[in-house]
Amino acid sequence: MCGIVGAIAGRDVVPVLIEGLKRLEYRGYDSAGIAVVVDGAVRRVRRTGRVSEMEAAAGAEDFHAPLGIGHTRWATHGGVTEGNAHPHISHDTLALVHNGIIENHEAQRERLSRLGYVFESQTDTEVIAHLIHHHQSQGLDLLAALQASARELDGAYALAVIDKRDPDRMVVARMGCPLLVGLGDGENFVASDVSAILQATRRVIFLEEGDTAEITRSAVRVFDGAGAAVERGEHLSDVSLASLELGPYRHFMQKEIHEQPRALADTIEAIIDAAAFEPTLFGKDAEAVLRGIDGVQILACGTSFYSGSVARYWIEAISGLPCSVEIASEYRYRKAVANPKHLIVTISQSGETLDTMEALKYAKSLGHTRTLSICNVPESAIPRASGLVFYTRAGAEIGVASTKAFTTQLVGLFALAVTLAKLNDRLGAEQEAAYIEDLRQLPGSVQHALNLEPQITSWAEKFTLKHHALFLGRGVHYPIALEGALKLKEISYIHAEAYPAGELKHGPLALVDAEMPVVVIAPKDALLEKVKSNMQEVRARGGELFVFTDADSNFSASEGVHVIRTPRHVGVLSPIVHTIPVQLLAYHTALSRGTDVDKPRNLAKSVTVE
Ligand code: M6R
């Protein structure tokens, strides 16, 4: 969703801001803008649409300055208009960018209106700009005015502020939305996402909840929520610039699908090296936390919810512990009964998803103390709020449709299931060795599945003109059907639904006719014969079947039944291998329909609002 970048330097920072905003485009946005302080004035350019349009406008106005902030906005309060785009300016002196939502903006707007402030936008953000200005007018300097304003705001924010009367610094604040400071040589930066400033530096300080900071060219001073000066550690980001470039690929989604063998190999490396499933995979104190649990509660959204749904099968079957999976946005608002001996597992690619974060906070408020996050972004909010962490090593995922994050999450969750089994004395050495061997083989099996791309491309052509599709799976592959349907709907805009195949005759069979393609995940497992019966139910109603099965299943194509064979059945990790074809099917269908694959309409990469 929204993105922030800011810079203070001895050079023109406009190219840094523009490049930073381009790096933030993947998060999803509908307008963009920059503001700079130059020659005693604050100047601004904003545009709806792409960053490139705003860049052209900035070029035309000949923007050059040593201090500036930039923003990509994903509309929440107020429509997609230039007037609602950030930065917002108060009294032609200070400019501000904001990620998040201010919950008490209406009360603050009324108060500020009574004080004579005139609002030019419908946003909650403009309130903050005027509030800071108001505190300055009461005699506070820029930093103190920001801190005083922060104390009066309810909700979530990451803020960056510049002021023409104070041209040698930028001030920033964080509460509930990520914000980091980038450290350069005689120049410093701020960003909501490290990708925005990697062009300039890898040295970063992650601000914590309630922090404010003053950033000059040569120094960074950080203050905690009480206003006391604090030291926050410096980190070296390992996000590679290459992971932010398309390289030879047409889309990031295509690139990220093809990166999966490498992403999986990196994620399992620690297990393969240790030749064991050690609790330390989840943190140094993990054994004490995991040993005492008597159940697992998984909380997540979207694709991450589906990886949790696969994990439920694994955790119950392998470790013998009961496991529930719930959509985070539902859990956070219901009166749940907490069992403090349950492990709360949150799953999130971004580590920023607001509903998942709030579900975690709610679980803690109910008395849960054992928390684990499976996450792809180091130092993001959700792992920082969790006791234990398993970082997937998928690398930056730019496409809005999650792909490599999903399969690497599955590896982390599988490792959790096996580790819990081990701690509960349900895992013999032979079985542990066999699981390690399964993991060792996994990147190769995924590569084989990727090699099916030409066949899947020819199937995609048959989906191009369809309006609906049905996905079927059973058991541990049912969540893969759900994931396949989600991928297809979000990037190709074809309405797709997934059902457990056994449920077909309880309703959805009524939808089946020659116009309804039915995709079936049918690996050679204990449920294959059941799935075959379900497929006959479809064929008998004239439905056309597109079946992904294993190379070693005795299954053949026939009239109205298309078959693509993934590699030989890989056992317990089969859901991971069977994810690849549904990703490719969605990608190639979207391609043939000409949609914006990496930035599907109405969606954002990180969903940081409700
Ligand atoms: O970053 P998260 O994993 O928490 O994101 C959760 C969902 O927003 C995300 O998986 C979404 O469903 C994807 N667009 C699916 O491809």
Side-chain angles (χ1 to χ4, degrees), residues 300-305 347-353 356 382 400-403 405 409 483 486-487 490 603-607:
C301 303
T303 285
S304 297
F305 171 73
I347 310 170
S348 176
Q349 185 287 129
S350 61
E352 285 180 27
T353 301
T356 308
I382 295 172
V400 163
S402 190
T403 52
Q409 284 168 355
E483 173 62 1
L486 176 63
K487 287 289 91 88
E490 76 177 322
L603 299 180
K605 182 65 183 164
S606 295
V607 184

